[in-house]
Amino acid sequence: MKGYSARAEKIMSRIEELASVSETEQGLTRTFGSGAWREAALIIQSWMQDAGLHAWIDNIGNVRGLLSSPSPGARTLVIASHMDTVINAGKFDGPLGVMMGLDLLEQLAHNHTPLPFNIQLVAFSDEEGCRFHTTYLGSKVLAGSFEPVLLEKKDADGIPLRNVIHANGSSTGLLHTDAIDAAAWLGYFEMHIEQGPVLYDRDIPVGIVKAIAGQKKAAITFEGIAGHAGTVPMDMRNDALCCAAEFILAVESIALQYKSQIVATVGKLEIANAASNVIPGAITCTLDLRSADGGILSEVYDTLQRTTAAICGRRNINFDWTVVQETSPVTCDLSLSALLSGAVKEAGYEPLELVSGAGHDAVAIAAVAPVCMLFVRCYKGISHNPLENVELKDIAAALQVADNFLQQMIYQHNQS
Ligand code: GLV
Ligand code: MN
Ligand code: MN
């Protein structure tokens, strides 16, 4: 494990360096298209070049590093995670996978390992979707599924995605050229912190992702009548915030009826023209619904829409329900996951399978390639929070597993 420990330390110091690249003075925030995001991309690109990769930044802002196989017509294995963050993020969500991938490729380049397939390392530009409320912009481009209509999406300041891409010196007309052809994909491997407490509770450093939950996200606007807080009697009000409050509690209680099969969150609430002496007239809130069971996901979503209509009808409030994003549950590839499971056992750990409630770029890639994912334990499962933490020994353990996995893949392809 000695070599892995030293390598884990280098990975950790790079993660720390990236964590200092933030659009805020305090904490870490690095959203798509920000100055900090561009700076981080250039740093990652230079590390890829130093590692001996052919590195470039594509039109959606993904940083890409290639180690080519000498075999003509060789397909491509992509190792990836993301470099964007949520607001006030932890350091490891995204960068851990990119920096571990960089270490693996650095070793292969350093050892001049002859490759039976190309390996491309990608730092995806937008997994969190914080700026444009649409996730996987980078991985959609790589998978060739980027819908041009997304270019018209606007951020909170009204700036369209199209303009942000142009401001980054890139061409929206060339986005399609950045895709890897469906036939050229060999597979996809992502390493990521678990972002949940299972590995921490079970005292296991790594886990194998067997599926990624599907998601339905919506923006809901409640429209009542703004009024004077001192003059309108309680039984004559159309208070949009009270309606939203009832909706939020309904979301919680309906999701609770499905026990551990679904999670539902209202994470954002905006009160128009908020003031202590004004009855709230309009509220916008978000709904984030996730389940590994597509049937349950749709059932709860429909129930919530019906319940919202009933609450609003009773309270005389108009509502608008807009779908923001939908992804189906994804099952990880059985044969790549079996290989990963063997790699975990070879490293001396129990091969525990987990379902990911968090979204990952693997979701977008699964449409064109077999995907697999390795989870790394994080402190108490805390994520999307500055307290997010991963221990060096777990990075070293995950690195050993990933190394076993990659060596086995190379061996198998050399045999065939
Ligand atoms: C991304 O981290 C998500 O699952 O929302
Ligand atoms: Mn995240
Ligand atoms: Mn992530």
Side-chain angles (χ1 to χ4, degrees):
M1 194 83 153
K2 197 157 168 263
Y4 292 117
S5 297
R7 286 162 60 183
E9 275 176 31
K10 185 166 177 189
I11 290 169
M12 191 67 106
S13 80
R14 283 174 164 166
I15 289 172
E16 293 289 351
E17 188 170 338
L18 283 179
S20 69
V21 183
S22 172
E23 58 200 68
T24 50
E25 262 179 37
Q26 295 290 318
L28 169 59
T29 299
R30 203 168 52 231
T31 56
F32 181 85
S34 64
W37 169 91
R38 256 187 294 279
E39 191 184 331
L42 291 173
I43 293 171
I44 295 170
Q45 184 187 15
S46 74
W47 286 341
M48 285 183 180
Q49 280 160 346
D50 293 348
L53 313 185
H54 165 59
W56 72 103
I57 297 178
D58 70 14
N59 288 287
I60 197 70
N62 295 325
V63 191
R64 301 168 63 166
L66 179 65
L67 261 191
S68 295
S69 162
S71 311
R75 289 187 292 160
T76 300
L77 171 71
V78 171
I79 300 179
S81 196
H82 59 99
M83 63 178 184
D84 69 315
T85 74
V86 290
I87 317 291
N88 198 24
K91 300 173 200 162
F92 297 89
D93 176 2
L96 175 73
V98 180
M99 292 305 113
M100 287 185 64
L102 179 60
D103 172 90
L104 292 168
L105 268 64
E106 201 164 21
Q107 297 297 317
L108 293 173
H110 180 79
N111 297 331
H112 303 287
T113 309
L115 293 175
F117 44 80
N118 307 312
I119 307 183
Q120 201 175 125
L121 174 66
V122 184
F124 286 122
S125 57
D126 176 75
E127 184 262 359
E128 303 288 4
C130 285
R131 183 161 179 188
F132 290 98
H133 303 291
T134 172
T135 52
Y136 313 139
L137 291 177
S139 39
K140 279 182 176 168
V141 164
L142 201 73
S145 59
F146 181 90
E147 309 102 323
V149 68
L150 289 171
L151 295 171
E152 312 314 327
K153 283 230 163 218
K154 294 196 171 89
D155 70 3
D157 297 323
I159 303 170
L161 172 59
R162 172 190 301 284
N163 295 20
V164 176
I165 294 173
H166 289 157
N168 199 34
S170 298
S171 161
T172 48
L174 292 176
L175 285 169
H176 65 282
T177 63
D178 291 320
I180 295 179
D181 269 0
W185 281 90
L186 177 66
Y188 175 87
F189 175 45
E190 180 166 355
M191 293 163 279
H192 201 283
I193 55 167
E194 182 202 346
Q195 304 182 279
V198 178
L199 295 173
Y200 188 83
D201 273 7
R202 299 272 302 258
D203 197 18
I204 304 176
V206 290
I208 299 148
V209 180
K210 67 172 180 190
I212 304 170
Q215 302 186 5
K216 282 186 188 278
K217 294 189 182 182
I220 301 126
T221 304
F222 297 95
E223 265 203 47
I225 300 176
H228 197 297
T231 60
V232 186
M234 292 308 289
D235 60 351
M236 293 177 72
R237 297 182 175 204
N238 297 92
D239 185 326
L241 183 55
C242 288
C243 185
E246 195 174 336
F247 160 76
I248 294 165
L249 291 178
V251 168
E252 183 187 44
S253 80
I254 290 168
L256 275 169
Q257 288 164 24
Y258 287 79
K259 298 220 163 58
S260 55
Q261 288 177 294
I262 196 150
V263 285
T265 308
V266 176
K268 198 170 172 188
L269 197 68
E270 278 168 7
I271 308 174
N273 308 317
S276 64
N277 59 353
V278 178
I279 301 164
I283 306 290
T284 302
C285 66
T286 56
L287 172 68
D288 179 313
L289 211 56
R290 304 181 186 209
S291 174
D293 183 321
I296 290 180
L297 190 61
S298 297
E299 186 179 314
V300 174
Y301 188 78
D302 294 346
T303 305
L304 284 175
Q305 263 186 316
R306 280 198 305 275
T307 307
T308 306
I311 295 170
C312 291
R314 192 163 23 77
R315 288 180 166 271
N316 234 337
I317 299 281
N318 290 324
F319 80 102
D320 174 73
W321 184 293
T322 305
V323 180
V324 174
Q325 179 175 314
E326 291 184 84
T327 57
S328 300
V330 159
T331 308
C332 291
D333 181 69
L334 288 181
S335 80
L336 283 180
S337 298
L339 206 63
L340 203 46
S341 177
V344 170
K345 283 190 222 157
E346 191 186 335
Y349 305 111
E350 176 192 340
L352 181 72
E353 288 193 331
L354 298 165
V355 170
S356 173
H360 297 288
D361 290 293
V363 169
I365 304 297
V368 285
V371 303
C372 68
M373 283 192 72
L374 182 71
F375 269 170
V376 185
R377 161 169 58 187
C378 59
Y379 174 67
K380 290 190 174 172
I382 297 171
S383 183
H384 284 187
N385 180 327
L387 291 177
E388 192 175 272
N389 198 18
V390 178
E391 287 192 40
L392 264 179
K393 68 175 178 13
D394 290 346
I395 298 181
L399 207 51
Q400 183 178 9
V401 170
D403 220 0
N404 293 348
F405 169 76
L406 211 49
Q407 293 303 334
Q408 189 58 28
M409 234 180 134
I410 291 171
Y411 174 78
Q412 284 186 1
H413 281 80
N414 275 331
Q415 301 303 96
S416 59

